[in-house]
Amino acid sequence: MTSTILIKNGVVIDTEPEPVVLGRVDVRVDGGTITAVGPGLPAEPGAEVIDATGRLVLPGFVDTHRHTWQAGIRAVAPDVDFGGYMRRIITELAPRHRPRDLYAGNLAGALECLDSGVTTLLDWSHAQFSPEHTEAAVRALRESGIRAVFGYCYGGRNGGVAEETRRVRETLFDTPGLVTMAVAAIGPEIAGEKRALAEWRVAAELGLPVTAHLGGHGGESAARGLAFLEDNGLLSTPTTFVHALHYTDEQLKRIAATGATASVSPVDEMSLGLGYPTTGSLRAAGIPTGLSADTVVCSPGDMFSQMRTAHLLERGRPGGAGLGFTTRDALRMATIEGAQVVGLGDVVGSLRPGKQADLQLLRTDTLGMAAAHDPIGAIVLNADTGCVDTVMVAGRVLKRGGQMLHQDLASVLAALAETAGAVVAV
């Protein structure tokens, strides 16, 4: 990898503190870090120059909650509700996944993210039935080249949450790297309060954040779960509320006061019947809120679809209540705000010098993107995965000229097809 990369002639969009079009300026990357953004940056001897003519240059997207292993069962339940999802996916198909199936799904799913401009991923992994499953899932993330937070959700016998979480932390995450760890908790609303105590307490012990499905199962469940977390002092550990759909404004203020964050999955929160996404309410309460694809079994896997849906649903609230939500808000959620949600706001999510060079170049020389007067509006409303020309993580180019690099995609897809046949076959 060339130590210095200079991106020239593109229209640059930064996102911190708010999305803004900087215009035709250059971006310099040294050793994987953004070191300068500005006009007329000199091309030092030996530097690689990327000509971004006809391209938009912006930070990579951040997916704040994705069950990546489900890439092998894409669209297996496109019209299911949440109860049907739990029966078909979690009860029936998940246990059929061998370690090699988790590897195949995670590798293909992570590459799908990169191919569509997602450079950071919170992998909410709840098919951890054995140490071999966990090792396979983490290995796939590392081999993909993506930046990821591996959300470990213990799937073994009752009582082993703390012990196995410690083992995973000590054996698989003992050295720094692009893949870090969080605790993906299923208590208290799904698996009960005893499970929640074990999950949050081991997270605090190990210094890990928690990501949990909270507030998505009705008002009574949301209130009871929040009160339990507060009464036991568990929210002193950084916590992301996934599908926080049924909290009152007063409860959202309490959540915000803890420094917690939120993840919205606008497509499948609607399609699974969980509830109308609370994008505006969460952000109005001061809770950093990111977007997520959640699952490709019943949702598109790209961030363009999520931004567009969030924008549409928020602005479509009755009486114009959501008309203050803009395309800039949607892009912010998909970049810097999402980075804050996964605990990497000081590392990625914008083009601020000193941050890691996780970025993407989008084509504008297509019929769907040509003559766009507002580049940010065009990204949210018009762009799609076919626009993603170049993708970089930590200064390493993983996609160039619309083509993925460093991977034998034929082998990846063949392994995924084998997994699909094996786990869905009766």
Side-chain angles (χ1 to χ4, degrees):
M1 180 178 68
T2 303
S3 60
T4 299
I5 299 174
L6 189 63
I7 303 172
K8 297 186 71 69
N9 304 321
V11 174
V12 176
I13 298 168
D14 200 6
T15 54
E16 189 178 12
E18 299 293 336
V20 60
V21 180
L22 299 179
R24 202 170 299 281
V25 298
D26 305 332
V27 179
R28 187 173 67 217
V29 175
D30 290 292
T33 301
I34 299 169
T35 55
V37 178
L41 297 180
E44 301 172 0
E48 176 186 355
V49 177
I50 296 178
D51 184 1
T53 300
R55 305 292 185 264
L56 303 176
V57 182
L58 67 153
F61 297 133
V62 179
D63 188 326
T64 59
H65 156 246
R66 186 185 189 106
H67 306 303
T68 317
W69 61 271
Q70 295 177 359
I73 49 176
R74 184 187 310 276
V76 75
D79 303 308
V80 75
D81 62 9
F82 180 71
Y85 169 86
M86 293 297 289
R87 290 188 296 272
R88 177 65 167 150
I89 308 303
I90 303 305
T91 301
E92 181 181 344
L93 297 183
R96 297 182 186 177
H97 279 70
R98 304 157 294 182
R100 72 195 224 187
D101 298 318
L102 233 62
Y103 172 83
N106 255 31
L107 180 57
L111 293 176
E112 176 189 0
C113 287
L114 289 167
D115 190 43
S116 64
V118 174
T119 54
T120 298
L121 165 69
L122 188 295
D123 178 25
W124 216 105
S125 196
H126 55 346
Q128 303 306 313
F129 304 116
S130 72
E132 292 75 25
H133 283 82
T134 304
E135 288 153 16
V138 173
R139 179 164 56 90
L141 292 175
R142 288 184 170 136
E143 290 181 7
S144 74
I146 202 167
R147 188 182 303 276
V149 179
F150 177 67
Y152 174 71
C153 182
Y154 174 71
R157 295 179 180 177
N158 292 335
V161 175
E163 179 181 0
E164 187 60 13
T165 303
R166 289 190 199 100
R167 186 198 70 81
V168 171
R169 171 67 180 83
E170 293 167 1
T171 61
L172 297 182
F173 296 92
D174 55 335
T175 57
L178 288 177
V179 183
T180 55
M181 183 179 174
V183 171
I186 55 173
E189 292 188 55
I190 297 175
E193 296 176 353
K194 182 178 180 181
R195 170 72 180 244
L197 283 174
E199 291 169 328
W200 263 266
R201 285 174 176 173
V202 75
E205 172 194 328
L206 298 174
L208 298 175
V210 173
T211 173
H213 297 80
L214 295 166
H217 309 288
E220 182 179 343
S221 175
R224 185 171 59 249
L226 178 59
F228 170 79
L229 295 174
E230 291 173 323
D231 291 345
N232 288 276
L234 301 183
L235 292 179
S236 59
T237 295
T239 299
T240 297
F241 285 63
V242 179
H243 306 316
L245 295 163
H246 298 289
Y247 295 109
T248 65
D249 289 344
E250 186 273 334
Q251 289 165 344
L252 290 179
K253 291 178 181 177
R254 284 157 47 195
I255 292 170
T258 71
T261 61
S263 176
V264 173
S265 308
V267 174
D268 69 4
E269 286 174 2
M270 291 293 283
S271 67
L272 289 173
L274 291 173
Y276 203 100
T278 51
T279 307
S281 298
L282 290 164
R283 299 179 84 240
I287 301 172
T289 305
L291 295 170
S292 97
D294 196 352
T295 171
V296 296
V297 305
C298 59
S299 173
D302 66 284
M303 193 56 65
F304 301 104
S305 296
Q306 306 305 326
M307 288 191 293
R308 198 141 42 236
T309 303
H311 181 261
L312 169 69
L313 293 177
E314 193 60 32
R315 289 183 64 86
R317 290 187 179 279
L323 288 176
F325 187 81
T326 68
T327 52
R328 279 158 173 74
D329 292 322
L331 181 62
R332 193 179 196 281
M333 291 178 68
T335 53
I336 182 61
E337 205 164 329
Q340 294 167 353
V341 169
V342 301
L344 296 173
D346 291 332
V347 180
V348 297
S350 75
L351 301 182
R352 189 182 76 201
K355 286 196 173 184
Q356 290 284 287
D358 291 16
L359 50 83
Q360 58 180 315
L361 276 61
L362 303 182
R363 295 180 58 185
T364 62
D365 58 346
T366 66
L367 291 173
M369 287 288 284
H373 294 265
D374 182 340
I376 293 175
I379 290 170
V380 175
L381 300 179
N382 306 116
D384 56 29
T385 58
C387 297
V388 182
D389 177 86
T390 299
V391 176
M392 180 185 299
V393 174
R396 184 187 183 209
V397 178
L398 300 177
K399 183 177 184 179
R400 189 192 300 270
Q403 300 298 315
M404 293 292 292
L405 309 176
H406 316 302
Q407 298 285 340
D408 181 354
L409 292 184
S411 296
V412 171
L413 295 174
L416 191 68
E418 195 276 332
T419 282
V423 302
V424 178
V426 178

